[in-house]
Amino acid sequence: MTVPDQRAPGVKFEDLALPLFDQLYNFARWLAQDTSEAEDLVQETYVKALRGFSGFQAGTNFRAWMFRILRNSFLTSRSGLKATVSLEEDETGAVASSAPTPETMLIDLADRDAVREALTELPAAAREILLLCEVEEMSYEEIAQVLAIPIGTVMSRLHRARKALRLWLLDKIKGGPHGV
Amino acid sequence: MACEAWRNKLDAYADGELAAAETAELGAHLRQCASCAADVLERVQLKRSIAAAGNHYAASAQLREKVGRSMGVAPQRDRLRWWNLVAAPAALVLIILFAANFYADREKARQERVYSELADLHVATLASVNPVDVLSTDRHTVKPWFEGKIPFTFNLPELAGTDFTLVGGRVAYLEQAPGAQLIYRSRKHQISVFIFQDRGGSAARRDSGPASALSFSMESWSKNGLRYFVVGDVGRDDLAALSKFLRDAV
Protein backbone atom coordinates (compact mmCIF):
# COMPACT_ATOMS: atom_id res chain seq x y z
CA MET A 1 0.00 0.00 0.00
CA THR A 2 1.31 3.39 -0.86
CA VAL A 3 0.68 6.38 1.28
CA PRO A 4 1.66 9.80 0.05
CA ASP A 5 4.68 10.90 2.00
CA GLN A 6 4.52 14.44 0.91
CA ARG A 7 1.63 16.67 1.59
CA ALA A 8 0.65 18.20 -1.69
CA PRO A 9 -0.99 21.58 -1.43
CA GLY A 10 -4.71 21.17 -0.94
CA VAL A 11 -4.48 17.60 0.26
CA LYS A 12 -7.07 17.18 2.94
CA PHE A 13 -6.37 15.39 6.17
CA GLU A 14 -9.26 12.99 5.79
CA ASP A 15 -8.09 11.94 2.33
CA LEU A 16 -4.80 10.79 3.83
CA ALA A 17 -6.10 9.55 7.16
CA LEU A 18 -9.30 7.71 6.41
CA PRO A 19 -7.69 5.07 4.17
CA LEU A 20 -5.61 4.07 7.20
CA PHE A 21 -8.69 3.43 9.30
CA ASP A 22 -8.73 -0.38 9.05
CA GLN A 23 -5.00 -0.74 9.71
CA LEU A 24 -5.10 1.62 12.65
CA TYR A 25 -8.02 -0.19 14.18
CA ASN A 26 -6.38 -3.59 13.80
CA PHE A 27 -3.20 -2.29 15.42
CA ALA A 28 -5.14 -0.57 18.21
CA ARG A 29 -7.12 -3.73 18.89
CA TRP A 30 -3.92 -5.78 19.18
CA LEU A 31 -2.32 -3.25 21.49
CA ALA A 32 -5.32 -2.71 23.73
CA GLN A 33 -6.54 -6.32 23.60
CA ASP A 34 -10.00 -4.91 24.05
CA THR A 35 -12.63 -3.75 21.58
CA SER A 36 -13.98 -0.64 23.25
CA GLU A 37 -10.54 0.52 24.27
CA ALA A 38 -9.37 0.04 20.71
CA GLU A 39 -12.31 2.11 19.46
CA ASP A 40 -11.46 4.89 21.89
CA LEU A 41 -7.84 4.76 20.77
CA VAL A 42 -8.71 5.08 17.11
CA GLN A 43 -11.04 7.99 17.73
CA GLU A 44 -8.49 9.69 19.93
CA THR A 45 -5.85 9.16 17.27
CA TYR A 46 -7.92 10.81 14.57
CA VAL A 47 -8.84 13.75 16.77
CA LYS A 48 -5.23 14.30 17.83
CA ALA A 49 -3.93 13.87 14.29
CA LEU A 50 -6.45 16.30 12.85
CA ARG A 51 -5.49 18.84 15.47
CA GLY A 52 -1.79 18.35 14.79
CA PHE A 53 -2.06 18.10 11.02
CA SER A 54 -1.00 21.69 10.45
CA GLY A 55 2.23 20.87 12.24
CA PHE A 56 2.74 17.71 10.24
CA GLN A 57 6.03 17.99 8.40
CA ALA A 58 5.82 17.51 4.71
CA GLY A 59 8.27 14.84 3.70
CA THR A 60 7.78 12.76 6.79
CA ASN A 61 5.87 9.55 6.58
CA PHE A 62 2.19 10.19 7.20
CA ARG A 63 1.36 6.58 8.00
CA ALA A 64 4.21 6.29 10.49
CA TRP A 65 3.05 9.58 12.01
CA MET A 66 -0.51 8.26 12.47
CA PHE A 67 0.69 4.98 13.98
CA ARG A 68 2.96 6.87 16.30
CA ILE A 69 0.07 9.01 17.54
CA LEU A 70 -1.96 5.87 18.07
CA ARG A 71 0.81 4.15 19.95
CA ASN A 72 1.49 7.17 22.12
CA SER A 73 -2.19 7.41 22.91
CA PHE A 74 -2.07 3.77 23.95
CA LEU A 75 0.99 4.29 26.13
CA THR A 76 -0.75 7.07 28.04
CA SER A 77 -3.95 5.07 28.41
CA ARG A 78 -4.61 3.02 31.53
CA SER A 79 -3.81 -0.39 30.11
CA GLY A 80 -1.02 1.12 28.08
CA LEU A 81 0.78 2.27 31.21
CA LYS A 82 1.05 -1.33 32.37
CA ALA A 83 2.61 -2.31 29.09
CA THR A 84 4.96 0.65 29.03
CA VAL A 85 7.65 -1.02 31.04
CA SER A 86 8.03 -3.87 28.62
CA LEU A 87 7.64 -1.60 25.62
CA GLU A 88 10.16 0.96 26.67
CA GLU A 89 12.66 -1.54 27.96
CA ASP A 90 16.04 -0.81 26.53
CA GLU A 91 16.88 -3.63 24.22
CA THR A 92 20.23 -3.15 22.72
CA GLY A 93 22.49 -5.89 21.71
CA ALA A 94 23.82 -7.58 18.69
CA VAL A 95 21.54 -9.56 16.49
CA ALA A 96 22.14 -13.09 17.56
CA SER A 97 22.32 -15.89 15.15
CA SER A 98 19.21 -17.98 14.99
CA ALA A 99 19.73 -20.85 12.68
CA PRO A 100 16.65 -22.97 12.55
CA THR A 101 17.11 -26.10 14.58
CA PRO A 102 15.51 -29.39 13.62
CA GLU A 103 12.97 -28.54 16.30
CA THR A 104 11.94 -25.21 14.87
CA MET A 105 11.41 -26.90 11.54
CA LEU A 106 8.58 -28.82 13.17
CA ILE A 107 6.60 -25.65 13.75
CA ASP A 108 3.54 -25.51 11.61
CA LEU A 109 3.81 -21.95 10.44
CA ALA A 110 0.57 -22.26 8.51
CA ASP A 111 -1.33 -22.78 11.75
CA ARG A 112 -2.85 -19.35 11.81
CA ASP A 113 -4.76 -19.87 15.06
CA ALA A 114 -1.57 -20.87 16.87
CA VAL A 115 0.31 -17.86 15.51
CA ARG A 116 -2.57 -15.61 16.53
CA GLU A 117 -2.54 -17.06 20.01
CA ALA A 118 1.19 -16.56 20.19
CA LEU A 119 0.83 -12.92 19.15
CA THR A 120 -1.72 -12.42 21.91
CA GLU A 121 0.50 -14.03 24.51
CA LEU A 122 3.76 -12.36 23.57
CA PRO A 123 5.01 -9.27 25.41
CA ALA A 124 3.56 -6.06 24.00
CA ALA A 125 6.93 -4.96 22.62
CA ALA A 126 7.26 -8.11 20.56
CA ARG A 127 3.65 -7.98 19.42
CA GLU A 128 3.69 -4.41 18.21
CA ILE A 129 6.90 -4.66 16.24
CA LEU A 130 5.81 -7.88 14.55
CA LEU A 131 2.51 -6.26 13.58
CA LEU A 132 4.21 -3.18 12.18
CA CYS A 133 6.72 -5.24 10.22
CA GLU A 134 4.60 -8.12 8.97
CA VAL A 135 1.03 -6.86 8.93
CA GLU A 136 1.68 -3.25 8.04
CA GLU A 137 4.74 -4.20 6.01
CA MET A 138 6.56 -1.16 7.28
CA SER A 139 10.21 -0.61 6.55
CA TYR A 140 12.70 -0.53 9.41
CA GLU A 141 12.82 3.22 8.88
CA GLU A 142 9.06 3.57 9.31
CA ILE A 143 9.04 1.29 12.35
CA ALA A 144 11.82 3.39 13.84
CA GLN A 145 9.62 6.48 13.37
CA VAL A 146 6.57 4.89 14.92
CA LEU A 147 8.42 3.50 17.92
CA ALA A 148 10.81 6.43 18.16
CA ILE A 149 13.84 4.16 18.38
CA PRO A 150 16.98 3.84 16.26
CA ILE A 151 16.97 1.45 13.31
CA GLY A 152 19.52 -0.76 15.06
CA THR A 153 17.08 -1.21 17.90
CA VAL A 154 14.33 -2.00 15.42
CA MET A 155 16.45 -4.84 14.06
CA SER A 156 17.38 -6.29 17.39
CA ARG A 157 13.86 -5.97 18.75
CA LEU A 158 12.45 -7.58 15.66
CA HIS A 159 14.93 -10.41 15.93
CA ARG A 160 14.03 -10.97 19.56
CA ALA A 161 10.33 -10.87 18.83
CA ARG A 162 10.62 -13.49 16.11
CA LYS A 163 12.67 -15.70 18.34
CA ALA A 164 10.11 -15.38 21.10
CA LEU A 165 7.34 -16.29 18.69
CA ARG A 166 9.18 -19.36 17.47
CA LEU A 167 9.85 -20.46 21.03
CA TRP A 168 6.23 -19.98 21.96
CA LEU A 169 5.09 -22.12 19.05
CA LEU A 170 7.71 -24.72 19.88
CA ASP A 171 6.58 -24.91 23.51
CA LYS A 172 3.07 -25.43 22.28
CA ILE A 173 4.15 -28.36 20.15
CA LYS A 174 6.16 -29.88 22.96
CA GLY A 175 3.92 -29.53 25.96
CA GLY A 176 0.74 -27.70 25.14
CA PRO A 177 -2.56 -29.55 25.35
CA HIS A 178 -3.35 -28.36 21.86
CA GLY A 179 -0.03 -29.61 20.58
CA VAL A 180 0.08 -30.85 17.03
CA MET B 1 31.35 -15.46 1.80
CA ALA B 2 30.70 -18.16 4.35
CA CYS B 3 27.25 -18.96 5.73
CA GLU B 4 28.10 -17.52 9.13
CA ALA B 5 28.69 -14.14 7.59
CA TRP B 6 25.23 -14.17 6.09
CA ARG B 7 23.32 -15.51 9.08
CA ASN B 8 22.82 -12.12 10.64
CA LYS B 9 21.51 -10.69 7.43
CA LEU B 10 18.89 -13.27 6.64
CA ASP B 11 16.15 -11.37 8.50
CA ALA B 12 16.98 -8.15 6.70
CA TYR B 13 17.01 -10.07 3.44
CA ALA B 14 13.59 -11.55 4.12
CA ASP B 15 12.36 -8.11 5.14
CA GLY B 16 13.71 -6.59 1.94
CA GLU B 17 15.95 -4.26 3.88
CA LEU B 18 19.32 -5.17 2.40
CA ALA B 19 20.97 -2.86 -0.05
CA ALA B 20 20.69 -3.88 -3.68
CA ALA B 21 24.28 -5.10 -3.96
CA GLU B 22 24.05 -7.21 -0.83
CA THR B 23 20.69 -8.59 -1.89
CA ALA B 24 22.15 -9.78 -5.17
CA GLU B 25 25.15 -11.29 -3.46
CA LEU B 26 23.08 -13.11 -0.87
CA GLY B 27 20.71 -14.26 -3.58
CA ALA B 28 23.63 -15.89 -5.35
CA HIS B 29 24.68 -17.56 -2.11
CA LEU B 30 21.19 -18.91 -1.47
CA ARG B 31 21.15 -20.63 -4.83
CA GLN B 32 24.18 -22.64 -3.73
CA CYS B 33 23.49 -23.12 -0.03
CA ALA B 34 20.54 -25.33 0.85
CA SER B 35 20.89 -24.63 4.55
CA CYS B 36 20.67 -20.86 4.18
CA ALA B 37 17.89 -21.19 1.60
CA ALA B 38 15.86 -23.31 4.01
CA ASP B 39 16.52 -20.74 6.71
CA VAL B 40 15.29 -17.88 4.57
CA LEU B 41 12.27 -19.90 3.51
CA GLU B 42 11.37 -20.48 7.14
CA ARG B 43 11.68 -16.78 7.89
CA VAL B 44 9.52 -15.84 4.96
CA GLN B 45 6.93 -18.40 6.01
CA LEU B 46 6.92 -16.98 9.52
CA LYS B 47 6.47 -13.48 8.14
CA ARG B 48 3.51 -14.58 6.01
CA SER B 49 2.03 -16.47 8.87
CA ILE B 50 2.23 -13.47 11.21
CA ALA B 51 0.80 -11.20 8.53
CA ALA B 52 -2.15 -13.54 8.04
CA ALA B 53 -2.76 -14.05 11.75
CA GLY B 54 -2.18 -10.43 12.67
CA ASN B 55 -4.58 -8.90 10.22
CA HIS B 56 -7.44 -10.06 12.31
CA TYR B 57 -9.62 -7.30 13.67
CA ALA B 58 -12.17 -5.26 11.79
CA ALA B 59 -13.72 -2.11 13.14
CA SER B 60 -17.46 -1.81 13.49
CA ALA B 61 -19.38 0.20 10.96
CA GLN B 62 -20.45 2.52 13.77
CA LEU B 63 -16.86 3.41 14.60
CA ARG B 64 -16.09 4.00 10.95
CA GLU B 65 -19.04 6.36 10.70
CA LYS B 66 -18.18 8.08 13.94
CA VAL B 67 -14.61 8.73 12.87
CA GLY B 68 -15.77 9.80 9.42
CA ARG B 69 -18.21 12.24 10.95
CA SER B 70 -15.57 13.66 13.25
CA MET B 71 -13.55 14.37 10.11
CA GLY B 72 -16.55 16.13 8.66
CA VAL B 73 -16.88 13.40 6.08
CA ALA B 74 -20.29 11.84 6.11
CA PRO B 75 -20.21 8.48 4.38
CA GLN B 76 -22.62 8.37 1.48
CA ARG B 77 -24.48 5.51 3.07
CA ASP B 78 -24.76 7.35 6.36
CA ARG B 79 -26.12 10.44 4.73
CA LEU B 80 -28.69 8.38 2.92
CA ARG B 81 -29.76 6.69 6.08
CA TRP B 82 -30.12 10.02 7.84
CA TRP B 83 -32.25 11.31 5.03
CA ASN B 84 -34.32 8.18 5.04
CA LEU B 85 -35.03 8.51 8.72
CA VAL B 86 -36.27 12.04 8.44
CA ALA B 87 -37.20 12.64 4.87
CA ALA B 88 -39.16 9.51 4.10
CA PRO B 89 -41.76 9.93 6.85
CA ALA B 90 -41.87 13.66 6.21
CA ALA B 91 -42.43 13.05 2.53
CA LEU B 92 -45.07 10.49 3.34
CA VAL B 93 -46.90 12.92 5.61
CA LEU B 94 -46.69 15.61 2.97
CA ILE B 95 -48.01 13.27 0.32
CA ILE B 96 -50.88 12.19 2.54
CA LEU B 97 -51.72 15.77 3.47
CA PHE B 98 -51.48 16.84 -0.13
CA ALA B 99 -53.54 13.89 -1.29
CA ALA B 100 -56.16 14.40 1.41
CA ASN B 101 -56.31 18.08 0.66
CA PHE B 102 -56.40 17.44 -3.04
CA TYR B 103 -59.08 14.81 -2.58
CA ALA B 104 -61.17 17.07 -0.35
CA ASP B 105 -60.77 19.97 -2.72
CA ARG B 106 -61.62 17.81 -5.65
CA GLU B 107 -64.66 16.34 -3.93
CA LYS B 108 -65.83 19.76 -2.89
CA ALA B 109 -65.37 21.05 -6.40
CA ARG B 110 -67.15 18.00 -7.73
CA GLN B 111 -70.06 18.50 -5.35
CA GLU B 112 -70.37 22.09 -6.42
CA ARG B 113 -70.17 21.06 -10.02
CA VAL B 114 -72.87 18.41 -9.53
CA TYR B 115 -75.12 20.88 -7.77
CA SER B 116 -74.69 23.53 -10.37
CA GLU B 117 -75.20 20.94 -13.10
CA LEU B 118 -78.44 19.90 -11.45
CA ALA B 119 -79.47 23.51 -11.10
CA ASP B 120 -78.72 23.96 -14.82
CA LEU B 121 -80.81 20.92 -15.64
CA HIS B 122 -83.62 22.27 -13.54
CA VAL B 123 -83.49 25.69 -15.17
CA ALA B 124 -83.19 24.19 -18.65
CA THR B 125 -86.23 22.07 -17.96
CA LEU B 126 -88.24 25.06 -16.83
CA ALA B 127 -87.17 27.04 -19.88
CA SER B 128 -87.98 24.23 -22.23
CA VAL B 129 -91.06 24.31 -24.39
CA ASN B 130 -91.58 20.69 -23.57
CA PRO B 131 -90.31 20.47 -20.05
CA VAL B 132 -91.36 16.88 -19.60
CA ASP B 133 -91.47 13.86 -21.83
CA VAL B 134 -94.22 12.18 -19.91
CA LEU B 135 -96.90 14.60 -18.89
CA SER B 136 -99.01 13.19 -16.16
CA THR B 137 -100.02 13.92 -12.65
CA ASP B 138 -100.48 10.24 -12.07
CA ARG B 139 -97.50 8.60 -10.51
CA HIS B 140 -98.76 5.26 -11.87
CA THR B 141 -98.35 6.66 -15.34
CA VAL B 142 -95.05 8.43 -14.84
CA LYS B 143 -93.20 5.62 -13.09
CA PRO B 144 -93.83 2.93 -15.74
CA TRP B 145 -92.80 5.37 -18.45
CA PHE B 146 -89.21 5.19 -17.19
CA GLU B 147 -89.08 1.43 -17.56
CA GLY B 148 -86.45 0.53 -20.10
CA LYS B 149 -85.20 4.09 -20.23
CA ILE B 150 -83.24 4.04 -17.02
CA PRO B 151 -81.47 1.08 -15.41
CA PHE B 152 -83.44 1.16 -12.15
CA THR B 153 -86.92 1.67 -10.77
CA PHE B 154 -88.22 3.81 -7.92
CA ASN B 155 -91.31 4.57 -5.89
CA LEU B 156 -93.18 7.85 -5.93
CA PRO B 157 -95.37 9.16 -3.13
CA GLU B 158 -99.11 9.75 -3.33
CA LEU B 159 -99.38 13.52 -3.07
CA ALA B 160 -103.13 14.00 -3.31
CA GLY B 161 -104.24 16.48 -0.70
CA THR B 162 -100.79 18.12 -0.38
CA ASP B 163 -99.38 21.35 -1.79
CA PHE B 164 -97.40 19.32 -4.34
CA THR B 165 -98.51 18.15 -7.71
CA LEU B 166 -96.65 15.86 -10.07
CA VAL B 167 -96.25 17.49 -13.47
CA GLY B 168 -94.36 14.83 -15.34
CA GLY B 169 -90.96 13.31 -15.93
CA ARG B 170 -88.03 13.01 -18.33
CA VAL B 171 -84.73 11.23 -18.57
CA ALA B 172 -81.78 13.25 -17.28
CA TYR B 173 -78.08 12.59 -17.32
CA LEU B 174 -75.63 13.31 -14.57
CA GLU B 175 -71.98 12.44 -15.03
CA GLN B 176 -72.79 10.30 -18.04
CA ALA B 177 -75.32 8.23 -16.09
CA PRO B 178 -79.02 8.20 -16.92
CA GLY B 179 -81.59 8.94 -14.25
CA ALA B 180 -85.09 10.20 -13.75
CA GLN B 181 -86.06 13.82 -13.47
CA LEU B 182 -89.51 14.44 -12.03
CA ILE B 183 -91.15 17.82 -12.06
CA TYR B 184 -93.41 18.81 -9.19
CA ARG B 185 -95.37 21.94 -8.79
CA SER B 186 -95.91 23.68 -5.52
CA ARG B 187 -98.21 26.64 -5.98
CA LYS B 188 -96.40 28.66 -8.68
CA HIS B 189 -93.01 27.07 -8.12
CA GLN B 190 -91.59 24.10 -9.88
CA ILE B 191 -89.35 21.60 -8.25
CA SER B 192 -87.10 19.03 -9.90
CA VAL B 193 -86.52 15.70 -8.27
CA PHE B 194 -83.53 13.85 -9.71
CA ILE B 195 -83.04 10.19 -9.07
CA PHE B 196 -79.77 8.48 -10.02
CA GLN B 197 -78.08 5.29 -9.08
CA ASP B 198 -75.95 5.96 -6.03
CA ARG B 199 -72.45 5.06 -7.01
CA GLY B 200 -71.39 5.82 -3.48
CA GLY B 201 -68.23 7.15 -1.96
CA SER B 202 -68.36 10.47 -3.60
CA ALA B 203 -69.00 13.68 -1.78
CA ALA B 204 -71.13 14.85 -4.65
CA ARG B 205 -73.51 12.15 -3.60
CA ARG B 206 -73.24 12.79 0.07
CA ASP B 207 -76.37 13.50 2.03
CA SER B 208 -77.05 17.11 2.45
CA GLY B 209 -79.75 18.90 4.29
CA PRO B 210 -81.37 21.90 2.73
CA ALA B 211 -78.57 23.65 0.94
CA SER B 212 -78.42 26.54 -1.44
CA ALA B 213 -76.67 26.74 -4.76
CA LEU B 214 -77.15 29.63 -7.14
CA SER B 215 -80.04 30.64 -4.89
CA PHE B 216 -81.81 27.36 -5.55
CA SER B 217 -82.63 25.23 -2.59
CA MET B 218 -81.35 21.71 -2.71
CA GLU B 219 -81.60 18.57 -0.68
CA SER B 220 -80.04 15.19 -1.24
CA TRP B 221 -80.18 11.74 0.28
CA SER B 222 -79.64 8.14 -0.58
CA LYS B 223 -82.15 5.36 -0.28
CA ASN B 224 -82.16 1.79 -1.57
CA GLY B 225 -79.12 2.45 -3.68
CA LEU B 226 -80.65 5.50 -5.28
CA ARG B 227 -79.45 9.04 -4.89
CA TYR B 228 -82.16 11.68 -4.71
CA PHE B 229 -81.64 15.37 -5.40
CA VAL B 230 -84.44 17.84 -4.91
CA VAL B 231 -83.85 21.23 -6.54
CA GLY B 232 -86.16 24.19 -6.67
CA ASP B 233 -86.68 27.85 -6.03
CA VAL B 234 -89.13 27.13 -3.24
CA GLY B 235 -88.58 27.82 0.38
CA ARG B 236 -86.61 25.33 2.38
CA ASP B 237 -89.65 24.23 4.31
CA ASP B 238 -91.46 23.25 1.13
CA LEU B 239 -88.38 21.49 -0.16
CA ALA B 240 -88.04 19.58 3.09
CA ALA B 241 -91.74 18.65 2.99
CA LEU B 242 -91.50 17.24 -0.52
CA SER B 243 -88.30 15.46 0.40
CA LYS B 244 -90.07 13.81 3.28
CA PHE B 245 -92.88 12.54 1.03
CA LEU B 246 -90.36 11.12 -1.40
CA ARG B 247 -88.35 9.47 1.33
CA ASP B 248 -91.42 7.86 2.78
CA ALA B 249 -92.70 6.61 -0.55
CA VAL B 250 -93.16 2.86 -0.69
Coordinates of all heavy atoms in Angstrom, one line a residue, chain B residues 149-188:
Chain B
K149 N -85.9 2.9 -19.9 CA -85.2 4.1 -20.2 C -84.1 4.4 -19.2 O -83.1 5.0 -19.6 CB -86.2 5.3 -20.2 CG -87.2 5.2 -21.4 CD -88.0 6.5 -21.4 CE -89.0 6.5 -22.6 NZ -90.1 5.5 -22.4
I150 N -84.3 3.9 -18.0 CA -83.2 4.0 -17.0 C -83.0 2.7 -16.4 O -83.9 1.8 -16.4 CB -83.6 5.1 -15.9 CG1 -85.0 4.7 -15.3 CG2 -83.6 6.5 -16.5 CD1 -85.3 5.6 -14.1
P151 N -81.8 2.4 -15.9 CA -81.5 1.1 -15.4 C -81.9 0.8 -14.0 O -81.3 0.0 -13.3 CB -79.9 1.1 -15.5 CG -79.6 2.5 -15.3 CD -80.7 3.3 -15.8
F152 N -83.0 1.5 -13.5 CA -83.4 1.2 -12.1 C -84.9 1.6 -12.1 O -85.4 2.2 -13.0 CB -82.6 1.9 -11.1 CG -82.6 3.4 -11.3 CD1 -83.5 4.2 -10.7 CD2 -81.6 4.0 -12.0 CE1 -83.5 5.6 -10.9 CE2 -81.5 5.4 -12.2 CZ -82.5 6.2 -11.6
T153 N -85.5 1.2 -11.0 CA -86.9 1.7 -10.8 C -87.0 2.3 -9.4 O -86.1 2.1 -8.5 CB -87.9 0.5 -10.9 OG1 -89.3 1.0 -10.7 CG2 -87.6 -0.6 -9.9
F154 N -88.1 3.1 -9.2 CA -88.2 3.8 -7.9 C -89.7 4.0 -7.6 O -90.6 3.7 -8.4 CB -87.6 5.2 -8.1 CG -88.1 5.9 -9.3 CD1 -89.2 6.8 -9.2 CD2 -87.4 5.8 -10.5 CE1 -89.7 7.4 -10.3 CE2 -87.9 6.5 -11.6 CZ -89.0 7.3 -11.5
N155 N -89.9 4.4 -6.3 CA -91.3 4.6 -5.9 C -91.6 6.1 -5.7 O -90.7 6.8 -5.4 CB -91.5 3.9 -4.5 CG -91.5 2.4 -4.7 OD1 -92.0 1.8 -5.6 ND2 -90.8 1.7 -3.7
L156 N -92.8 6.4 -6.1 CA -93.2 7.9 -5.9 C -94.3 8.0 -4.9 O -95.2 7.1 -4.8 CB -93.6 8.4 -7.3 CG -92.5 8.6 -8.3 CD1 -93.0 9.1 -9.6 CD2 -91.4 9.5 -7.8
P157 N -94.3 9.0 -4.2 CA -95.4 9.2 -3.1 C -96.7 9.6 -3.7 O -96.8 10.2 -4.8 CB -94.8 10.2 -2.2 CG -94.0 11.1 -3.1 CD -93.4 10.2 -4.2
E158 N -97.8 9.2 -3.0 CA -99.1 9.8 -3.3 C -99.2 11.1 -2.7 O -99.1 11.3 -1.5 CB -100.2 8.8 -2.7 CG -101.6 9.3 -2.9 CD -101.9 9.6 -4.4 OE1 -101.9 8.6 -5.2 OE2 -102.2 10.8 -4.7
L159 N -99.4 12.1 -3.6 CA -99.4 13.5 -3.1 C -100.8 14.2 -3.1 O -100.8 15.4 -2.9 CB -98.4 14.3 -3.9 CG -96.9 13.9 -3.8 CD1 -96.1 14.7 -4.8 CD2 -96.4 14.1 -2.4
A160 N -101.8 13.4 -3.3 CA -103.1 14.0 -3.3 C -103.4 14.6 -1.9 O -103.1 14.0 -0.9 CB -104.2 12.9 -3.6
G161 N -103.9 15.8 -2.0 CA -104.2 16.5 -0.7 C -103.1 17.3 -0.1 O -103.2 17.8 1.0
T162 N -101.9 17.3 -0.9 CA -100.8 18.1 -0.4 C -100.6 19.3 -1.3 O -101.4 19.5 -2.3 CB -99.5 17.3 -0.4 OG1 -99.1 17.1 -1.8 CG2 -99.6 16.0 0.3
D163 N -99.7 20.2 -1.0 CA -99.4 21.3 -1.8 C -98.7 21.0 -3.1 O -98.5 21.8 -4.0 CB -98.5 22.3 -1.0 CG -99.2 23.0 0.1 OD1 -100.5 22.9 0.1 OD2 -98.6 23.5 1.0
F164 N -98.3 19.7 -3.2 CA -97.4 19.3 -4.3 C -98.2 18.5 -5.4 O -99.0 17.7 -5.0 CB -96.2 18.5 -3.8 CG -95.4 19.2 -2.8 CD1 -95.5 18.9 -1.5 CD2 -94.5 20.2 -3.2 CE1 -94.8 19.5 -0.5 CE2 -93.7 20.8 -2.2 CZ -93.9 20.5 -0.9
T165 N -97.9 18.9 -6.6 CA -98.5 18.2 -7.7 C -97.4 17.6 -8.7 O -96.5 18.4 -9.0 CB -99.4 19.1 -8.5 OG1 -100.1 20.0 -7.6 CG2 -100.4 18.3 -9.3
L166 N -97.6 16.4 -9.1 CA -96.6 15.9 -10.1 C -97.0 16.4 -11.4 O -98.2 16.4 -11.8 CB -96.7 14.3 -10.1 CG -95.8 13.6 -11.1 CD1 -94.4 13.8 -10.8 CD2 -96.1 12.1 -11.0
V167 N -96.0 16.9 -12.1 CA -96.3 17.5 -13.5 C -95.9 16.5 -14.5 O -96.6 16.3 -15.5 CB -95.4 18.8 -13.7 CG1 -95.6 19.3 -15.1 CG2 -95.8 19.8 -12.7
G168 N -94.8 15.8 -14.4 CA -94.4 14.8 -15.3 C -92.9 14.4 -15.1 O -92.3 14.7 -14.0
G169 N -92.3 13.8 -16.1 CA -91.0 13.3 -15.9 C -90.2 13.3 -17.2 O -90.7 13.4 -18.3
R170 N -88.9 13.1 -17.2 CA -88.0 13.0 -18.3 C -86.7 12.3 -17.9 O -86.4 12.3 -16.7 CB -87.7 14.4 -19.0 CG -87.0 15.3 -18.1 CD -87.1 16.8 -18.6 NE -86.3 16.9 -19.8 CZ -85.1 17.3 -19.8 NH1 -84.4 17.6 -18.7 NH2 -84.5 17.5 -21.0
V171 N -86.0 11.9 -18.9 CA -84.7 11.2 -18.6 C -83.7 12.3 -18.5 O -83.6 13.2 -19.3 CB -84.3 10.2 -19.7 CG1 -82.9 9.6 -19.4 CG2 -85.4 9.1 -19.7
A172 N -82.9 12.3 -17.5 CA -81.8 13.2 -17.3 C -80.5 12.5 -17.1 O -80.4 11.3 -16.8 CB -82.0 14.1 -16.0
Y173 N -79.4 13.2 -17.4 CA -78.1 12.6 -17.3 C -77.2 13.4 -16.4 O -77.1 14.6 -16.4 CB -77.4 12.5 -18.7 CG -78.0 11.5 -19.6 CD1 -79.1 11.8 -20.3 CD2 -77.5 10.2 -19.6 CE1 -79.7 10.8 -21.1 CE2 -78.1 9.2 -20.4 CZ -79.2 9.5 -21.2 OH -79.8 8.6 -21.9
L174 N -76.6 12.7 -15.5 CA -75.6 13.3 -14.6 C -74.4 12.5 -14.6 O -74.4 11.3 -14.3 CB -76.2 13.4 -13.1 CG -75.3 14.0 -12.1 CD1 -75.1 15.5 -12.4 CD2 -75.8 13.8 -10.7
E175 N -73.3 13.1 -14.9 CA -72.0 12.4 -15.0 C -72.1 11.2 -15.9 O -71.7 10.1 -15.5 CB -71.5 12.1 -13.6 CG -71.2 13.4 -12.8 CD -70.6 13.0 -11.4 OE1 -71.1 12.1 -10.8 OE2 -69.6 13.7 -11.0
Q176 N -72.7 11.4 -17.0 CA -72.8 10.3 -18.0 C -73.6 9.1 -17.6 O -73.5 8.0 -18.1 CB -71.4 9.8 -18.5 CG -70.6 10.8 -19.2 CD -69.8 11.7 -18.3 OE1 -69.2 11.2 -17.3 NE2 -69.9 13.0 -18.5
A177 N -74.5 9.3 -16.5 CA -75.3 8.2 -16.1 C -76.8 8.7 -16.2 O -77.1 9.8 -15.8 CB -75.0 7.9 -14.7
P178 N -77.6 7.8 -16.7 CA -79.0 8.2 -16.9 C -79.8 8.1 -15.6 O -79.5 7.3 -14.8 CB -79.5 7.2 -17.9 CG -78.7 6.0 -17.7 CD -77.3 6.5 -17.3
G179 N -80.8 9.0 -15.5 CA -81.6 8.9 -14.3 C -82.9 9.6 -14.6 O -83.2 10.0 -15.7
A180 N -83.7 9.6 -13.6 CA -85.1 10.2 -13.7 C -85.2 11.6 -13.2 O -84.6 11.9 -12.2 CB -86.1 9.3 -13.0
Q181 N -85.8 12.5 -14.0 CA -86.1 13.8 -13.5 C -87.6 14.0 -13.4 O -88.3 13.8 -14.4 CB -85.5 14.9 -14.4 CG -85.7 16.3 -13.9 CD -85.2 17.4 -14.8 OE1 -84.8 17.1 -15.9 NE2 -85.3 18.6 -14.4
L182 N -88.1 14.3 -12.2 CA -89.5 14.4 -12.0 C -89.8 15.9 -11.7 O -89.0 16.5 -11.0 CB -90.0 13.6 -10.9 CG -89.7 12.1 -11.0 CD1 -89.8 11.4 -9.7 CD2 -90.6 11.4 -12.1
I183 N -90.8 16.4 -12.3 CA -91.2 17.8 -12.1 C -92.4 17.9 -11.2 O -93.4 17.2 -11.5 CB -91.4 18.6 -13.4 CG1 -90.4 18.3 -14.4 CG2 -91.6 20.1 -13.1 CD1 -89.0 18.8 -14.0
Y184 N -92.3 18.6 -10.1 CA -93.4 18.8 -9.2 C -93.7 20.3 -9.2 O -92.8 21.1 -9.4 CB -93.1 18.3 -7.8 CG -93.1 16.8 -7.6 CD1 -91.9 16.1 -7.8 CD2 -94.3 16.2 -7.3 CE1 -91.9 14.7 -7.7 CE2 -94.3 14.8 -7.1 CZ -93.1 14.1 -7.3 OH -93.1 12.7 -7.2
R185 N -95.0 20.6 -8.9 CA -95.4 21.9 -8.8 C -95.9 22.2 -7.4 O -96.6 21.3 -6.8 CB -96.5 22.3 -9.8 CG -96.8 23.8 -9.9 CD -98.0 24.0 -10.8 NE -97.9 23.4 -12.1 CZ -97.3 24.0 -13.1 NH1 -96.7 25.2 -12.9 NH2 -97.2 23.5 -14.3
S186 N -95.4 23.3 -6.8 CA -95.9 23.7 -5.5 C -96.4 25.1 -5.7 O -95.5 26.0 -5.8 CB -94.8 23.6 -4.5 OG -95.3 24.2 -3.3
R187 N -97.7 25.3 -5.6 CA -98.2 26.6 -6.0 C -97.6 27.1 -7.3 O -97.7 26.4 -8.3 CB -98.0 27.6 -4.8 CG -98.8 27.3 -3.6 CD -98.6 28.3 -2.5 NE -97.2 28.2 -1.9 CZ -96.9 27.4 -0.9 NH1 -97.8 26.6 -0.3 NH2 -95.7 27.5 -0.4
K188 N -96.9 28.2 -7.4 CA -96.4 28.7 -8.7 C -95.0 28.1 -9.0 O -94.4 28.4 -10.0 CB -96.4 30.2 -8.7 CG -97.8 30.8 -8.8 CD -98.5 30.5 -10.1 CE -99.9 31.1 -10.1 NZ -100.6 30.7 -11.3

